[in-house]
Amino acid sequence: MAKKSSKHFICSECGTNHSKWAGQCDCGQWNTIVEFKESASRAGAVSAIARGYSGARESVQKLSDIKPEESPRFSTKNPEFDRVLGGGIVPGSVILLAGTPGAGKSTLTTQVLCEVGDNIECFLVSAEESANQISRRAERLALKTDKLNVAIETDVLAILTMIQEVKAKFVVIDSLQAMHHPDVQGAPGGVGQLRECMQVLTQHAKQNDVAMIIICHTTKDGSVAGPRVVEHIGDVMLMIEVVAASRFREIRAAKNRFGSTSELGLLAMMPDNGYLKAVTNPSAIFLDRSRDAKPGSMVASLWEGSRSLLVEIQALVIDSHQGNPRRLAVGIDQNRLNMLVAVLVRHADLAMYDQELYVNLVGGLRSTDPSTDLPVVLAMVSSFINRAIPQDWVAFGELGLSGDVRSVPSGLERIKQASQQGFSHCICPKGNVPKNVSSSMKVYPVETLSEAIACLEQAY
Ligand code: TYD
Ligand code: MG
């Protein structure tokens, strides 16, 4: 039998294997296929039976015979980080933490390592910063540092040995792009290096029940720099982003094998020392009720993961002198805005087709929650007729093309949260009206867009 070559080619975008080089990959990307040499240990695999594998039947069991174990998670001591992780870190899991430079990856992980508790052996491996820099950061953040093991290393095999020697159960690697495997050719950050480093780290994490957070750099479009396969190998993939150039950071899960990917975690960077603190009441950040109510503003109750978020929606409707009036949506989907305008024109009889329209979700947030339909439309109506809606009014509900207002999930929780935040009037779909509602909240159940607009008459 001819000896199979251990040399092959991989697309750095999608991770597909190719037997020979080509200019374009099947994923459509150009110039992303690069040569990859398999490490000696994995080259030349022979058939499993020839290598003496037997007794496989015993490893196969009926699903009903397997008793699920409750995975014992440990808390990061940061409630917002725990929330996006699905309730804490699962031992043996591999978490990728990606974000732009300065987003706070090193800060957050150093904090978590120092605060995670006394009974978990923690280890920080950095290839990006010197021991001196790490120490200065910990001092600036006023962290308890006596329990944390630190090493500056780039060789993954050396790192694995260190992890074993210090018996670490929670490891942070900063960053994957700076790591290298001695058996793989190519500079750190290359496709082959990233893939191999990720693979050996993950294997070690699984076999030894070591939880790992692996920090990754992102490209301009926000995806992890390197092959997609890196994302596939990890259990959880988190993105940390700066919210609209503010001191707030949002963490979202792009992938989570142990929890939901719809949770949003919010952190605030303390102005004095850069400490990333969990934001306990996110609605307070996105609402500014210190100013007078202005036309074109309405508060929406968004649903993010498992909680509601009260956010102001602003709309500006002005006469257009162009044949094709401008319509701009910031924070909500542009196509959704176009659809809402069509519904307004058709079912509310408002002549908006010749108006320029701008809609903004205040605070730099983005939402795909369809329950923003009703507050967006009401904000546009308020701007169009130039009458302000009082600041203690809130709305939520999805709008159908026939002008009907549809129920959305978690109506009761949204109303409760709004009431706790001091709102006293809520326009919502009829199907979302709870049986018992706090006496301090007046609920306006609506079935159609015209009914919702009519409710505003009581507000002006
Ligand atoms: P860092 O964790 O280094 O970011 P990353 O690892 O994601 O590149 O966080 C850098 C943030 O910390 C940056 O936004 C600025 C802030 N910072 C301070 O607030 N004070 C300081 O003294 C320093 C050095 C940084
Ligand atoms: Mg860093």
Side-chain angles (χ1 to χ4, degrees):
M1 200 172 78
K3 192 168 179 275
K4 224 178 149 191
S5 162
S6 63
K7 195 165 88 175
H8 55 248
F9 298 85
I10 294 181
C11 169
S12 57
E13 195 60 30
C14 67
T16 306
N17 271 309
H18 296 265
S19 56
K20 60 181 195 310
W21 189 86
Q24 189 186 21
C25 176
D26 302 337
C27 69
Q29 294 294 321
W30 288 91
N31 291 327
T32 52
I33 298 179
V34 289
E35 189 180 328
F36 178 69
K37 275 207 177 104
E38 199 79 74
S39 71
S41 59
R42 298 205 292 127
V46 289
S47 101
I49 293 169
R51 288 174 59 177
Y53 283 91
S54 61
R57 187 66 192 87
E58 284 105 74
S59 320
V60 183
Q61 30 182 337
K62 286 274 178 285
L63 181 57
S64 54
D65 295 340
I66 304 169
K67 297 282 163 272
E69 287 173 23
E70 192 55 48
S71 55
R73 294 171 188 255
F74 63 88
S75 168
T76 62
K77 301 286 173 343
N78 181 320
E80 292 295 292
F81 198 23
D82 280 353
R83 173 190 290 278
V84 273
L85 286 166
I89 296 179
V90 175
S93 64
V94 175
I95 299 154
L96 288 160
L97 178 64
T100 47
K105 304 178 292 298
S106 308
T107 305
L108 181 63
T109 46
T110 312
Q111 277 177 214
V112 169
L113 282 170
C114 292
E115 290 170 352
V116 83
D118 291 338
N119 32 13
I120 297 169
E121 197 62 39
C122 297
F123 186 24
L124 169 62
V125 184
S126 180
E128 304 239 325
E129 289 167 334
S130 66
N132 194 18
Q133 274 175 298
I134 297 170
S135 158
R136 274 212 308 269
R137 171 182 287 115
E139 199 177 322
R140 168 165 57 85
L141 300 171
L143 299 173
K144 198 166 157 280
T145 51
D146 54 338
K147 290 272 167 24
L148 179 60
N149 302 293
V150 178
I152 308 300
E153 183 56 71
T154 55
D155 182 336
V156 267
L157 298 186
I159 292 169
L160 295 187
T161 321
M162 290 175 187
I163 295 174
Q164 260 167 341
E165 279 175 9
V166 298
K167 297 193 175 60
K169 285 290 165 200
F170 179 32
V171 179
V172 170
I173 309 276
D174 191 3
S175 66
L176 182 64
Q177 277 81 3
M179 294 293 134
H180 84 98
H181 191 295
D183 297 346
V184 179
Q185 285 186 340
V191 180
Q193 285 287 1
L194 286 174
R195 199 171 106 141
E196 199 62 23
C197 291
M198 186 66 193
Q199 218 133 27
V200 294
L201 287 169
T202 308
Q203 202 174 19
H204 189 88
K206 303 280 161 206
Q207 286 170 353
N208 301 284
D209 234 11
V210 177
M212 285 193 195
I213 297 184
I214 302 178
I215 293 176
C216 300
H217 294 171
T218 49
T219 56
K220 268 186 240 145
D221 66 353
S223 57
V224 171
R228 270 285 138 76
V229 69
V230 167
E231 295 171 40
H232 296 316
I233 299 172
D235 296 309
V236 181
M237 163 86 201
L238 302 179
M239 313 289 286
I240 178 164
E241 280 174 38
V242 181
V243 179
S246 67
R247 65 189 183 95
F248 296 104
R249 307 286 189 267
E250 63 172 48
I251 320 180
R252 286 182 191 271
K255 166 186 178 178
N256 193 348
R257 288 197 179 131
F258 312 110
S260 155
T261 52
S262 57
E263 291 288 357
L264 164 71
L266 276 167
L267 305 167
M269 190 166 265
M270 294 292 108
D272 48 344
N273 63 357
Y275 184 90
L276 284 169
K277 196 166 179 276
V279 175
T280 43
N281 181 11
S283 297
I285 305 170
F286 300 106
L287 288 178
D288 178 7
R289 285 187 274 174
S290 57
R291 282 169 287 183
D292 291 340
K294 296 263 169 29
S297 165
M298 175 93 224
V299 176
S301 169
L302 306 184
W303 195 253
E304 284 286 347
S306 57
R307 66 175 163 190
S308 91
L309 210 59
L310 293 153
V311 184
E312 183 186 345
I313 291 179
Q314 291 181 338
L316 182 63
V317 182
I318 48 172
D319 285 341
S320 172
H321 301 290
Q322 295 168 17
N324 196 4
R326 202 145 181 235
R327 285 172 192 169
L328 185 73
V330 180
I332 65 160
D333 183 37
Q334 180 73 44
N335 290 331
R336 206 152 186 108
L337 175 67
N338 293 338
M339 186 192 85
L340 295 178
V341 175
V343 175
L344 259 181
V345 170
R346 177 75 176 77
H347 299 285
D349 208 15
L350 291 174
M352 279 202 187
Y353 42 83
D354 58 351
Q355 302 284 308
E356 268 184 34
L357 275 169
Y358 302 91
V359 173
N360 179 28
L361 206 60
V362 176
L365 269 187
R366 284 163 289 132
S367 176
T368 49
D369 183 354
S371 74
T372 50
D373 289 356
L374 195 56
V376 165
V377 163
L378 295 177
M380 287 197 284
V381 172
S382 161
S383 173
F384 187 61
I385 61 174
N386 202 24
R387 289 172 87 170
I389 303 168
Q391 284 172 318
D392 56 350
W393 283 62
V394 60
F396 65 88
E398 185 179 349
L399 219 55
L401 287 178
S402 55
D404 53 325
V405 177
R406 292 158 173 255
S407 308
V408 291
S410 315
L412 175 61
E413 288 82 356
R414 292 181 203 239
I415 294 172
K416 258 195 201 158
Q417 167 80 12
S419 178
Q420 279 164 10
Q421 294 292 321
F423 287 83
S424 52
H425 300 263
C426 177
I427 306 178
C428 70
K430 197 169 182 187
N432 278 126
V433 178
K435 283 195 193 86
N436 301 313
V437 65
S438 140
S439 55
S440 59
M441 174 67 91
K442 182 161 172 41
V443 179
Y444 301 83
V446 293
E447 283 181 298
T448 62
L449 175 60
S450 4
E451 281 175 31
I453 294 173
C455 287
L456 289 184
E457 284 304 320
Q458 300 178 44
Y460 303 133

